[in-house]
């Protein structure tokens, strides 16, 4: 009986799912491993953190995605290493997984840039747990201020967001909206107008990859909605209850959201793979990892480049396209054909600022701003969401929020704090 090649895919994010899907019907056994039993739609995590959506709206059980694909098995577990001579992957506390092809699709994680106190006191926004923890904390700060308004003098309702990229802009805009639209009604005895959202960006503009007109639109919109945008500012250190800026100012603040930078998943180092800038795994033009036969890397963890040699951005479309590409390459190798280089088809960039406000720069020099860009942003995210149930649920939630000026899940569940604020 012919031996069926084994493909192990590490990570059920955008990239890993596309590798597994792309191998549908191929003569291979695919094992998809993830530390969670669900896929997370990261672009909408900030809406979970700001009570716009429920965690279940942006997550999908991985097993449920492969009912009709017989050659995929799912294994929940955390990959910790690999034995390259035995060609096995180590999964924490479980039997090793043998592989002929190993695809690393483990994504990225937060980097605190060595800022003292940031890791201890800051809230990152990369996982569903991060988003739920932040939502719990935000709502809990309002409950605490409602019980004792002197909390306001101690920065109880000052929310500092670090990083003026799309995630920082989206989070700051959504927090300002939550306070003005919803908490104003939820806490009638509290002076909610004293709640502050401070967006801190080191450069002299927001939304770095966008054109100047889009950056300006984001800045003006956020300021008009009450966000205190500080450009050319830098957080020097963070303590329990305060944030100190590089110019020496100490701001009482009990919440710091860190949206400032990412690095490749440290698993790349644990697997002993060659790494470049920000830990991203070095790849050949076809996305194979040099010096590691049978190894591939896709998505945020990979240092894939365009035809001019510039690193591709860490975005969902890059992860999806690179995942599909690797699936095609494995098929080609099985058929005895040579591999082809990965070519990214640029789908443009978008960022939402809040209700009826977004910027979108699409292929063909189509630049949208305001309500039209916002509708385009909503449509794109609905289409990209994994699973029809999630799409329907998100659509209903968005329509409800838009029509009623309300938000649903502003719950405090489970543990509130990750530190001693
Ligand atoms: C808050 C936020 C907002 C974003 N907004 C946008 C946006 O608007 N548009 C856009 O295009 N992109 C956006 N991105 C980026 C986009 O989400 C990423 O580019 C994309 O998720 C990368 O896909 P990936 O498959 O490489 O990694 P991921 O989607 O991160 O998936 C990695 C998977 O690997 C698993 N994993 C990690 N380590 C292990 C391990 N040791 N063992 C087992 N499993 C492991 C994780 O659980 C995860 O499921 C955003 C990202 C964030 C964090």
């Amino acid at each position: 009986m012919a031996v069926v090649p084994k493909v192990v895919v590490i990570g059920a994010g955008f990239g890993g799912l596309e590798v597994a899907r792309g191998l549908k019907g191929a003569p291979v056994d695919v094992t998809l491993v993830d530390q969670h039993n669900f896929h997370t739609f990261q672009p909408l995590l900030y809406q979970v953190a700001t009570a716009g959506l429920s965690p279940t709206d942006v997550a999908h059980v991985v097993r449920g995605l492969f009912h009709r694909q017989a050659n995929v098995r799912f294994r929940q577990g955390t990959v910790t290493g690999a034995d390259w001579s035995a060609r096995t992957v180590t999964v924490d506390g479980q039997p090793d997984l043998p592989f002929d092809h190993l695809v690393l699709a483990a994504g990225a994680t937060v980097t605190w840039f060595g800022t003292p106190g940031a890791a201890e006191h800051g809230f990152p926004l990369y996982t569903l747990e991060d988003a739920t923890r932040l939502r719990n904390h935000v709502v809990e700060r309002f409950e605490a201020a409602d019980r004792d308004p002197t909390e306001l003098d101690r920065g109880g309702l000052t929310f500092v967001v670090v990083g003026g990229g799309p995630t920082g802009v989206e989070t700051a805009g959504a927090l300002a909206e939550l306070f003005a639209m919803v908490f104003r009604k939820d806490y009638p005895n509290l002076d909610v107008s004293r709640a502050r959202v401070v967006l801190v960006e080191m450069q002299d503009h927001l939304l770095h990859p966008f054109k100047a007109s889009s950056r300006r639109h984001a800045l003006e919109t956020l300021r008009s909605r009450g966000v205190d945008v500080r450009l050319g500012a830098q957080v020097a250190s963070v303590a329990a209850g305060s944030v100190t800026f590089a110019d020496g100012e100490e701001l009482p603040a009990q919440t710091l959201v860190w949206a400032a930078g990412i690095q490749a998943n440290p698993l790349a180092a644990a697997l002993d793979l060659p790494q470049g800038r920000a830990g991203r795994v070095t790849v050949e033009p076809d996305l194979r990892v040099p010096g590691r036969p049978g190894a591939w890397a896709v998505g945020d963890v990979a240092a894939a480049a365009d035809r001019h040699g510039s690193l591709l951005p860490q975005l969902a479309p890059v992860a999806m396209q690179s995942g599909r590409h690797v699936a095609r390459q494995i098929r080609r190798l099985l058929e005895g054909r040579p591999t082809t280089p990965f070519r990214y088809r640029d789908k443009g960039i978008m960022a939402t600022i809040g209700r009826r406000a977004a910027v979108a720069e699409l292929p063909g020099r189509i630049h949208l701003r305001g309500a039209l860009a916002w509708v385009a942003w909503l449509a794109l995210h609905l289409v990209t969401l994994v699973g029809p149930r999630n799409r329907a649920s998100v659509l209903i939630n968005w329509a409800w929020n838009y029509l009623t000026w309300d938000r649903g899940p502003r719950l405090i569940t489970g543990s509130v704090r990750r530190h001693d604020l």
Side-chain angles (χ1 to χ4, degrees):
M1 211 169 81
V3 178
V4 179
K6 293 181 169 40
V7 180
V8 173
V9 182
I10 307 172
F14 288 101
L17 285 187
E18 291 304 321
V19 178
R21 283 170 165 160
L23 289 169
K24 186 172 185 176
V28 291
D29 279 337
V30 181
T31 304
L32 180 56
V33 193
D34 200 292
Q35 59 200 353
H36 302 117
N37 76 332
F38 52 85
H39 162 84
T40 305
F41 190 82
Q42 287 181 341
L44 291 178
L45 281 179
Y46 84 94
Q47 295 212 359
V48 175
T50 54
L53 293 173
S54 293
T56 48
D57 293 334
V58 305
H60 199 294
V61 171
V62 179
R63 289 182 186 276
L65 297 169
F66 292 99
H67 288 171
R68 297 205 186 103
Q69 193 172 335
N71 66 349
V72 173
R73 285 185 308 148
F74 176 69
R75 167 85 69 90
Q76 187 189 354
T78 301
V79 174
T80 54
D83 181 335
W84 292 100
S85 46
R87 300 185 73 70
T88 56
V89 166
T90 318
V91 186
D92 199 18
Q94 300 182 26
D96 290 351
L97 288 172
F99 67 83
D100 297 289
H101 293 274
L102 176 63
V103 187
L104 181 62
T109 183
V110 61
T111 174
W112 304 97
F113 297 121
T115 310
E120 293 83 356
H121 303 292
F123 287 82
L125 198 48
Y126 291 94
T127 65
L128 205 55
E129 294 92 327
D130 291 341
T132 314
R133 205 182 290 123
L134 178 56
R135 183 198 66 201
N136 288 341
H137 175 81
V138 170
V139 185
E140 202 271 348
R141 290 298 82 207
F142 275 81
E143 291 297 337
D146 192 54
R147 284 191 298 270
D148 175 7
T150 63
E151 279 288 318
L152 276 149
D153 304 323
R154 292 190 286 277
L157 297 191
T158 300
F159 299 83
V160 178
V161 181
V162 183
T167 301
V169 165
E170 290 172 351
T171 306
L175 283 173
E177 219 164 66
L178 175 68
F179 303 165
M181 279 170 29
V182 186
F183 284 175
R184 194 174 47 78
K185 294 180 279 182
D186 277 353
Y187 300 93
N189 299 322
L190 188 64
D191 184 2
V192 173
S193 67
R194 286 185 63 200
R196 290 176 70 188
V197 181
V198 182
L199 178 60
V200 184
E201 168 55 46
M202 211 163 71
Q203 304 194 62
D204 63 0
H205 54 261
L206 297 173
L207 296 180
H208 182 63
F210 288 77
K211 302 259 181 274
S213 57
S214 301
R215 294 171 182 175
R216 260 197 317 275
H217 181 71
L219 179 64
E220 284 161 12
T221 308
L222 283 176
R223 285 190 168 150
S224 73
R225 295 180 181 198
V227 177
D228 173 1
V229 183
R230 299 186 179 197
L231 299 177
Q234 206 177 337
V235 169
S237 65
V238 188
S242 72
V243 173
T244 304
F245 290 88
D247 64 6
E249 180 194 348
E250 190 179 324
L251 179 71
Q254 296 185 13
T255 311
L256 177 105
V257 183
W258 194 264
I262 58 174
Q263 60 178 342
N265 191 310
L267 181 60
L271 292 177
D272 197 16
L273 297 176
Q275 292 171 273
R277 213 171 73 198
R280 290 168 77 172
V281 174
T282 310
V283 286
E284 308 276 12
D286 60 2
L287 302 183
R288 275 194 273 204
V289 180
R292 293 293 185 203
W296 310 77
V298 302
D300 281 3
V301 78
D306 64 16
R307 60 182 76 213
H308 309 295
S310 303
L311 277 187
L312 291 172
Q314 286 158 299
L315 290 174
V318 177
M320 293 166 87
Q321 290 183 34
S322 58
R324 276 178 223 136
H325 177 83
V326 165
R328 280 195 299 272
Q329 302 317 300
I330 292 174
R331 284 176 181 272
R332 290 179 73 91
L333 289 174
L334 293 173
E335 292 160 5
R337 295 195 288 156
T339 60
T340 57
F342 173 53
R343 295 274 179 257
Y344 175 58
R345 281 185 40 237
D346 190 356
K347 301 273 177 107
I349 44 178
M350 288 184 176
T352 182
I353 309 156
R355 194 181 173 86
R356 297 174 64 83
V359 288
E361 296 179 0
L362 307 174
R365 297 184 181 206
I366 302 171
H367 295 176
L368 307 175
R369 291 202 300 263
L372 198 58
W374 186 65
V375 171
W377 183 93
L378 295 175
L380 180 93
H381 283 73
L382 267 185
V383 171
T384 324
L385 255 173
V386 172
R389 187 193 164 283
N390 287 19
R391 276 183 220 125
S393 171
V394 167
L395 182 62
I396 290 167
N397 270 299
W398 282 348
W400 178 266
N401 296 349
Y402 184 74
L403 295 173
T404 63
W405 295 74
D406 199 4
R407 296 277 175 92
R410 40 196 192 279
L411 314 174
I412 303 173
T413 57
S415 78
V416 170
R417 297 170 191 196
R418 64 182 289 263
H419 52 70
D420 59 352
L421 278 176

